Amino acid sequence: MENMEKLMEINHVGYSYHTMQGETPALSNINFTVYKGDFLAIVGPSGCGKSTLLSLLSGLLEPEHGSIFLSNAKLTQKGNGSMGYMLQHDHLFEWRTIEKNVLLGLEIQKKLTPETKEMVLDMLKTYGLYKFKDARPSQLSGGMRQRAALIRTLALKPEILLLDEPFSALDYQTRLTVGDDIGAIIKKEEKTAILVTHDLSEAISLANRVLVLSKRPATIQKIVDIAFPNNISALERRNSPEFKDYFNQIWKELNDNE
Ligand code: ADP
Ligand code: MG
């Protein structure tokens, strides 16, 4: 890791929500570094603060304590072009065709040019969606929709992809194939990714590091390095003998925490 380029530094970050009902501490003393090309998975009990952490990393929320640096500059809340966000729901618009949906971000950011449009159409071709470019989202399978949502995010050329349980609305079988598929696209595009998931198998099959959070207020309980040979697929990871060792190790961390 030491010879890799640092992209983000999260230093002593803490965050609480303040409402009429009082204070909800969500995160406490979070420290980690994100390196260029990292695929980081974040796991932890439900309600522990995972989505809050992603919102802080995206700049949507500002840390109450500590600081977040992106490429050595303090992260600010105003328009962060380096971040792409992908959520559980694909947020594709039914009244737009797939082509119009994947071009939407570029349109909004006034970056739609013949060149950027061609780049996006090429991505539709590479990832098998070109023949559906005139279809409506409802005509696509859940997996194809997630792929379209990822292409829409990649169209803006984000440096870092933040994924908040993007497969959890899919049924188990689909989730497996779509998770592997989206993971392969992210690797091919050489993006840095931070994936929140409650699915340990998903984390181990995709990530090179897994951050295990404690229950709320979340602290980092453990960072587990996942060392599989380069360029083996998510499916090959799932079928390899080390897989269950990682699973048991992280499972134990999560349960020690109860
Ligand atoms: P996770 O994604 O791990 O399930 P969240 O980050 O969504 O957890 O939430 C962490 C805690 O903060 C939860 O207890 C949740 O109820 C609380 N919380 C989340 N968003 C808000 C908000 N906007 N206002 C008040 N409390 C919130
Ligand atoms: Mg969440």
Side-chain angles (χ1 to χ4, degrees):
M1 280 295 161
E2 283 68 29
N3 55 1
M4 287 173 76
E5 187 184 331
K6 282 184 186 175
L7 204 52
M8 288 189 97
E9 288 223 67
I10 293 82
N11 297 321
H12 306 291
V13 164
Y15 191 85
S16 300
Y17 290 101
H18 300 272
T19 63
M20 304 275 271
Q21 284 70 43
E23 184 184 359
T24 307
L27 301 168
S28 168
N29 196 25
I30 301 286
N31 293 291
F32 62 96
T33 303
V34 183
Y35 297 90
K36 203 169 163 61
D38 246 347
F39 199 126
L40 208 69
I42 299 175
V43 301
S46 165
C48 77
K50 300 182 293 297
S51 295
T52 305
L53 180 54
L54 274 199
S55 297
L56 287 159
L57 296 179
S58 73
L60 286 171
L61 293 176
E62 201 180 343
E64 196 175 30
H65 304 284
S67 54
I68 300 176
F69 285 87
L70 173 65
S71 305
N72 298 316
K74 198 159 179 174
L75 194 66
T76 61
Q77 275 179 293
K78 304 185 279 298
N80 220 298
S82 352
M83 304 285 183
Y85 222 117
M86 198 169 144
L87 305 164
Q88 182 173 351
H89 298 287
D90 54 46
H91 298 284
L92 296 174
F93 293 112
E94 187 55 28
W95 45 273
R96 291 193 142 218
T97 63
I98 291 303
E99 174 178 347
K100 291 278 185 198
N101 266 288
V102 295
L103 293 174
L104 183 63
L106 287 170
E107 233 177 273
I108 292 173
Q109 296 201 355
K110 305 209 183 332
K111 288 179 184 160
L112 189 58
T113 63
E115 292 73 37
T116 57
K117 182 171 175 178
E118 192 184 326
M119 174 201 64
V120 174
L121 293 179
D122 276 345
M123 269 199 272
L124 288 180
K125 283 177 194 154
T126 306
Y127 299 119
L129 286 180
Y130 190 76
K131 57 179 177 293
F132 298 98
K133 73 178 172 48
D134 299 316
R136 302 285 164 167
S138 62
Q139 294 172 278
L140 269 61
S141 68
M144 289 196 288
R145 293 178 64 122
Q146 274 313 48
R147 220 189 276 185
L150 179 64
I151 292 171
R152 184 186 51 195
T153 308
L154 291 172
L156 297 169
K157 294 196 170 294
E159 204 163 353
I160 305 180
L161 286 169
L162 303 172
L163 306 124
D164 197 351
E165 313 219 21
F167 317 122
S168 59
L170 304 168
D171 63 74
Y172 179 71
Q173 200 67 36
T174 313
R175 197 162 82 219
L176 272 181
T177 50
V178 175
D180 292 6
D181 177 47
I182 296 290
I185 296 175
I186 291 171
K187 278 175 191 156
K188 181 167 152 37
E189 300 289 330
E190 299 183 325
K191 295 295 174 189
T192 303
I194 305 178
L195 166 74
V196 162
T197 176
H198 58 255
D199 183 335
L200 297 191
S201 299
E202 192 173 284
I204 299 162
S205 67
L206 294 172
N208 64 309
R209 281 190 299 154
V210 178
L211 242 76
V212 183
L213 298 182
S214 70
K215 58 178 187 289
R216 198 178 63 74
T219 55
I220 294 186
Q221 169 150 342
K222 182 96 181 173
I223 299 181
V224 179
D225 286 325
I226 309 288
F228 282 106
N230 274 340
N231 301 325
I232 75 166
S233 69
L235 183 66
E236 287 167 317
R237 285 185 177 208
R238 290 179 198 273
N239 290 330
S240 77
E242 303 95 306
F243 192 85
K244 77 168 195 321
D245 300 331
Y246 285 126
F247 190 96
N248 290 335
Q249 184 189 354
I250 297 168
W251 178 261
K252 193 170 170 301
E253 286 296 338
L254 282 169
N255 288 297
D256 278 353
N257 182 353
E258 296 288 285

